[in-house]
PDB file of all heavy atoms in Angstrom:
ATOM      1  N   ALA K  76       1.615 -16.775   6.885  1.00 94.00           N
ATOM      2  CA  ALA K  76       0.974 -17.993   7.465  1.00 94.00           C
ATOM      3  C   ALA K  76      -0.379 -18.288   6.998  1.00 94.00           C
ATOM      4  O   ALA K  76      -0.946 -19.309   7.017  1.00 94.00           O
ATOM      5  CB  ALA K  76       1.042 -17.907   8.989  1.00 94.00           C
ATOM      6  N   GLU K  77      -1.162 -17.167   6.584  1.00 91.00           N
ATOM      7  CA  GLU K  77      -2.580 -17.236   6.174  1.00 91.00           C
ATOM      8  C   GLU K  77      -2.791 -17.138   4.675  1.00 91.00           C
ATOM      9  O   GLU K  77      -3.867 -17.481   4.289  1.00 91.00           O
ATOM     10  CB  GLU K  77      -3.372 -16.269   6.952  1.00 91.00           C
ATOM     11  CG  GLU K  77      -3.400 -16.435   8.435  1.00 91.00           C
ATOM     12  CD  GLU K  77      -4.523 -15.721   9.173  1.00 91.00           C
ATOM     13  OE1 GLU K  77      -5.457 -15.367   8.437  1.00 91.00           O
ATOM     14  OE2 GLU K  77      -4.482 -15.484  10.367  1.00 91.00           O
ATOM     15  N   GLY K  78      -1.796 -16.657   3.970  1.00 90.00           N
ATOM     16  CA  GLY K  78      -2.025 -16.418   2.550  1.00 90.00           C
ATOM     17  C   GLY K  78      -1.395 -17.431   1.714  1.00 90.00           C
ATOM     18  O   GLY K  78      -0.868 -18.489   2.161  1.00 90.00           O
ATOM     19  N   GLN K  79      -1.579 -17.328   0.403  1.00 86.00           N
ATOM     20  CA  GLN K  79      -1.021 -18.184  -0.698  1.00 86.00           C
ATOM     21  C   GLN K  79       0.046 -17.466  -1.475  1.00 86.00           C
ATOM     22  O   GLN K  79      -0.163 -16.414  -1.990  1.00 86.00           O
ATOM     23  CB  GLN K  79      -2.162 -18.627  -1.581  1.00 86.00           C
ATOM     24  CG  GLN K  79      -3.159 -19.586  -0.915  1.00 86.00           C
ATOM     25  CD  GLN K  79      -2.526 -21.018  -0.781  1.00 86.00           C
ATOM     26  OE1 GLN K  79      -1.686 -21.388  -1.475  1.00 86.00           O
ATOM     27  NE2 GLN K  79      -3.079 -21.691   0.244  1.00 86.00           N
ATOM     28  N   VAL K  80       1.218 -17.997  -1.427  1.00 90.00           N
ATOM     29  CA  VAL K  80       2.358 -17.447  -2.286  1.00 90.00           C
ATOM     30  C   VAL K  80       1.968 -17.600  -3.692  1.00 90.00           C
ATOM     31  O   VAL K  80       1.719 -18.682  -4.165  1.00 90.00           O
ATOM     32  CB  VAL K  80       3.661 -18.143  -1.882  1.00 90.00           C
ATOM     33  CG1 VAL K  80       4.749 -17.654  -2.940  1.00 90.00           C
ATOM     34  CG2 VAL K  80       4.133 -17.772  -0.439  1.00 90.00           C
ATOM     35  N   VAL K  81       2.049 -16.498  -4.432  1.00 86.00           N
ATOM     36  CA  VAL K  81       1.715 -16.555  -5.838  1.00 86.00           C
ATOM     37  C   VAL K  81       2.290 -15.363  -6.548  1.00 86.00           C
ATOM     38  O   VAL K  81       2.608 -14.346  -5.927  1.00 86.00           O
ATOM     39  CB  VAL K  81       0.068 -16.509  -5.979  1.00 86.00           C
ATOM     40  CG1 VAL K  81      -0.442 -15.198  -5.455  1.00 86.00           C
ATOM     41  CG2 VAL K  81      -0.343 -16.738  -7.441  1.00 86.00           C
ATOM     42  N   GLN K  82       2.479 -15.444  -7.834  1.00 87.00           N
ATOM     43  CA  GLN K  82       3.057 -14.353  -8.625  1.00 87.00           C
ATOM     44  C   GLN K  82       1.888 -13.413  -8.904  1.00 87.00           C
ATOM     45  O   GLN K  82       1.085 -13.611  -9.843  1.00 87.00           O
ATOM     46  CB  GLN K  82       3.654 -14.917  -9.918  1.00 87.00           C
ATOM     47  CG  GLN K  82       4.910 -15.688  -9.716  1.00 87.00           C
ATOM     48  CD  GLN K  82       6.064 -14.903  -9.092  1.00 87.00           C
ATOM     49  OE1 GLN K  82       6.150 -13.738  -9.205  1.00 87.00           O
ATOM     50  NE2 GLN K  82       6.999 -15.600  -8.361  1.00 87.00           N
ATOM     51  N   THR K  83       1.736 -12.363  -8.056  1.00 84.00           N
ATOM     52  CA  THR K  83       0.630 -11.436  -8.161  1.00 84.00           C
ATOM     53  C   THR K  83       0.957 -10.244  -9.157  1.00 84.00           C
ATOM     54  O   THR K  83       0.018  -9.560  -9.558  1.00 84.00           O
ATOM     55  CB  THR K  83       0.289 -10.895  -6.765  1.00 84.00           C
ATOM     56  OG1 THR K  83       1.394 -10.284  -6.157  1.00 84.00           O
ATOM     57  CG2 THR K  83      -0.365 -11.969  -5.934  1.00 84.00           C
ATOM     58  N   ALA K  84       2.201  -9.978  -9.393  1.00 88.00           N
ATOM     59  CA  ALA K  84       2.519  -8.840 -10.280  1.00 88.00           C
ATOM     60  C   ALA K  84       2.061  -9.096 -11.608  1.00 88.00           C
ATOM     61  O   ALA K  84       2.243 -10.202 -12.211  1.00 88.00           O
ATOM     62  CB  ALA K  84       4.053  -8.620 -10.271  1.00 88.00           C
ATOM     63  N   GLY K  85       1.293  -8.150 -12.203  1.00 89.00           N
ATOM     64  CA  GLY K  85       0.811  -8.331 -13.546  1.00 89.00           C
ATOM     65  C   GLY K  85       0.549  -7.054 -14.224  1.00 89.00           C
ATOM     66  O   GLY K  85       0.416  -5.965 -13.596  1.00 89.00           O
ATOM     67  N   PHE K  86       0.511  -7.022 -15.520  1.00 91.00           N
ATOM     68  CA  PHE K  86       0.214  -5.860 -16.332  1.00 91.00           C
ATOM     69  C   PHE K  86      -0.735  -6.261 -17.447  1.00 91.00           C
ATOM     70  O   PHE K  86      -0.389  -7.129 -18.304  1.00 91.00           O
ATOM     71  CB  PHE K  86       1.484  -5.217 -16.890  1.00 91.00           C
ATOM     72  CG  PHE K  86       1.150  -3.860 -17.519  1.00 91.00           C
ATOM     73  CD1 PHE K  86       1.175  -2.708 -16.725  1.00 91.00           C
ATOM     74  CD2 PHE K  86       0.925  -3.727 -18.880  1.00 91.00           C
ATOM     75  CE1 PHE K  86       0.888  -1.429 -17.290  1.00 91.00           C
ATOM     76  CE2 PHE K  86       0.661  -2.508 -19.478  1.00 91.00           C
ATOM     77  CZ  PHE K  86       0.650  -1.338 -18.679  1.00 91.00           C
ATOM     78  N   GLY K  87      -1.930  -5.638 -17.398  1.00 85.00           N
ATOM     79  CA  GLY K  87      -2.944  -6.069 -18.347  1.00 85.00           C
ATOM     80  C   GLY K  87      -3.317  -7.457 -18.024  1.00 85.00           C
ATOM     81  O   GLY K  87      -3.728  -7.757 -16.861  1.00 85.00           O
ATOM     82  N   PHE K  88      -3.235  -8.317 -18.978  1.00 82.00           N
ATOM     83  CA  PHE K  88      -3.582  -9.774 -18.726  1.00 82.00           C
ATOM     84  C   PHE K  88      -2.368 -10.627 -18.770  1.00 82.00           C
ATOM     85  O   PHE K  88      -2.436 -11.799 -19.024  1.00 82.00           O
ATOM     86  CB  PHE K  88      -4.607 -10.202 -19.804  1.00 82.00           C
ATOM     87  CG  PHE K  88      -5.796  -9.278 -19.772  1.00 82.00           C
ATOM     88  CD1 PHE K  88      -5.901  -8.180 -20.656  1.00 82.00           C
ATOM     89  CD2 PHE K  88      -6.817  -9.476 -18.894  1.00 82.00           C
ATOM     90  CE1 PHE K  88      -6.982  -7.311 -20.616  1.00 82.00           C
ATOM     91  CE2 PHE K  88      -7.910  -8.610 -18.812  1.00 82.00           C
ATOM     92  CZ  PHE K  88      -7.973  -7.534 -19.700  1.00 82.00           C
TER      93      PHE K  88
END
Side-chain angles (χ1 to χ4, degrees):
E77 295 198 19
Q79 289 286 330
V80 171
V81 64
Q82 293 296 335
T83 55
F86 189 86
F88 304 95

